[in-house]
Amino acid sequence: MYVDLKGVRLEYPAAEPRGEPVLALEELTMGVGEGEFAAVVGPSGCGKSSLMRLATGLRRPQEGDISVAGAPVTGPLSITGMAFQNPSLLPWRTTLANVMLPLEIVRPHRGRLRRHRAEYEQQAEDLLSLVGLGGFGSRFPWQLSGGMQQRANLCRALIHDPVLLMLDEPFGALDAFTREELWQVMADLHAAKKFTVILVTHDLREAVYLADKVFVMSARPGKIIAERKVPFERPRPMDLIYEREFVDLVQDLRGLIADARSGTGAGQRAAA
Amino acid sequence: MWLTSERAAPAIYTIALLVFWEAAVWIGNMPTYILPAPTVIAGAIVQYWGPIWKNSLVTLWTTLAGFGLAVVGGLALGLLVGWSKSIYAGLYPLMVGFNSIPKVAVVPILVIWFGIGVVPAIITAFLIAFFPVVVNVATGLATIEPETEDVLRALGASKWDVMTKIGIPRALPYFFGSLKVAITLAFVGSVVSETIAANAGLGHMMLAAQSQFNVPLVFAGLVMLAIEGIVMYAIMAEIEKRTTGWARRSGQT
Ligand SMILES: Nc1ncnc2c1ncn2[C@@H]1O[C@H](COP(=O)(O)OP(=O)(O)OP(=O)(O)O)[C@@H](O)[C@H]1O
Ligand SMILES: [Mg+2]
C-alpha cells in the first residue's frame, strides 16, 4: 500500500495538569494504493483531522506504524500537499503570493524560485483560473469570500505538484453549485496528475462521487469500521449522483455512520 | 453642524479649554504663582524662547536616543523570547519583575555609574520604553495560529522558515503598535531623569524655574513637553497606520 497505517493510536495530552488525556484514534488500520482516491467519512470529532496530521507527519502516533511510499513517516514530507479545514491564508500576502508559499519551502522549487519567478507565477495563475479564481491573484485574502479563500487554499496545496494530496473538508464551506464545480475540478486533476488523494469529508455524496474507496470511521476513539469500494467508471458525469446505485451506496454509508454515532460512541452525544 | 464635525473637533475643544482656563483665572483672581493664565504662559514662552528651545532639543534627543535603543533592543529580545516556548517561559517572569521596578528608583544608581548628564536620561528612557516593545513582538510571535504554522510545517519547513514567513510578518503590526506606547514612555523616562539629575533638558529647566518661583516658566516647560509628546505620538501613530494596513483591514490584532 502506498499510504499505510497499522494499529495506530493517538492520544492528545490533557490540557490541564489534572485533566483527562483525549484518546483520538485507536487501533486504526487503513491502506490507500498508489494513485488511488480515498475518502474518509465519520461522525464529527471522531479524529479525521487527527488522522490527516498523522499521515502528513505533523504528529507522531503513540503506537502503530505509518508509512508512505514504503518508507516510515518520521516527520513532514514535502511530497504531500495539504489543504486544511480552515483556509488559513496569510493576510499580508496577495492570493497569488499565498498560493506560491509552498514553492518558497519545498525543494527544488525553493532554490529555483528567484530565477524562474515568471514561470512559477504563470503556473500559479493557471491553477487559480482552473478553480475559477482567474484574475484574483492580486487580491488579498480578506478581499475574497470564504468560498474563494477555500479555492485558493486548494491551489496552495497543489502548486508544488505533490504526489500525495491530503484534503481536510476543503469543500465544506462552499455552496452546492461551487462544490459540484470543484468536484469536477478535483476529478479532472486526479485524472490528469494521477496523484494519490486522501479526502476527509462529511458530505457522503462528495465521498462517493470522487473516491475509489470510502473509509468509515467510528466515533471517538476513531478507528476504521468499514471500507466500501466505489464501482463507478471514470470520468463520472454529474448526473451520476441521482442514479439508483449511487444513492444506495450513499444510504449504506449513512447507515454505517448513524450506527457509529449511536452504538459504540460512549459519551458521544447524538447531536443533530 | 460644525460643532460636531470630527475634523474641527480637536481644535475647537482645545480652544474651549484655553478660554475656560483663561476666564477661570481672571474671574477667580488666581495669583500667577499658583496658576498662570494661558496668555501669561504664552508670554513666558516668548520671553524665554532661547533657553526653552535649547532645553527642548536636549529632551528631544535624549528621548529619541533612549527610544531608538529600546526599539532595537526590544525587537531583538522580542524575537528571541518569541522564538521558543522555553525561552519565553524563562525570561518572561524576569522581565515582568524588572519592569515592575519604578524607574525613578533606578536613576540614582545610574547617576552613580554615569554621573549627572544626558546618559542617565537616555538609559532611563530606554529602560522604561523597552518593555512594551519586547512584549508586543513576543506576543505577535507566540500567538501564531497552530493551523497556519501546520501549513508550513507539513511542507517540511524549518523553524527559521516559519519565523521568517509567518512569525515576523505577523509580529510587525504588534511591533509598530508598540512604538506609540514606547515613545510616550521614553519621554516620561527622560523627563523624570532630567528632573532628578541633569544639567540640561526641559525637566531640568522646570526644576530650576520652580526653585526661582518662576511659575509661568514651569508651565511653559509643561506646554513644550505636551507639544513634543503629541508630535512624537502622532508620528508613531502615522507609521503604525502606514505599515499595518492588512492587519486593520483583515480584522486581526
Ligand atoms: N491539539 C489537540 N489537543 C487536544 N485534543 C485535540 C487536539 N486536536 C483534536 N483534539 C481532540 O481529538 C478529537 C478528534 O479531533 P479531530 O479534529 O481529529 O476530529 P475531526 O474528526 O476532524 O472532527 P470534525 O469533523 O469536527 O472536523 C476531538 O475530541 C478533539 O477534541
Ligand atoms: Mg476535522
Side-chain angles (χ1 to χ4, degrees), chain A residues 12-13 22 24 43-50 53 59 85 169 220:
Chain A
Y12 289 106
V22 178
S44 180
C46 70
K48 301 184 294 294
S49 297
S50 305
R53 273 181 225 134
R59 275 194 176 267
Q85 220 164 337
E169 298 191 20
R220 193 168 60 83

Side-chain angles (χ1 to χ4, degrees), chain A residues 58 76-78 80 82 84 86 88 90-93 101-102 104-106 110 142 156 160, chain B residues 147-148 150-158 161 165-167 169-170 245-246 249-250 252:
Chain A
L58 280 173
L77 297 170
S78 56
T80 48
M82 191 160 182
F84 294 88
N86 179 335
S88 57
L90 307 178
W92 56 88
R93 284 174 169 244
L101 181 66
E104 297 169 24
I105 307 293
V106 175
R110 182 182 189 136
W142 35 269
R156 183 175 59 186
H160 60 294
Chain B
E147 286 195 349
T148 313
D150 279 353
V151 170
L152 286 199
R153 290 212 304 123
L155 295 164
S158 63
D161 289 330
K165 305 283 179 218
I166 304 182
R170 195 176 182 291
W246 64 263
R249 268 168 292 191
S250 66
Q252 286 215 353

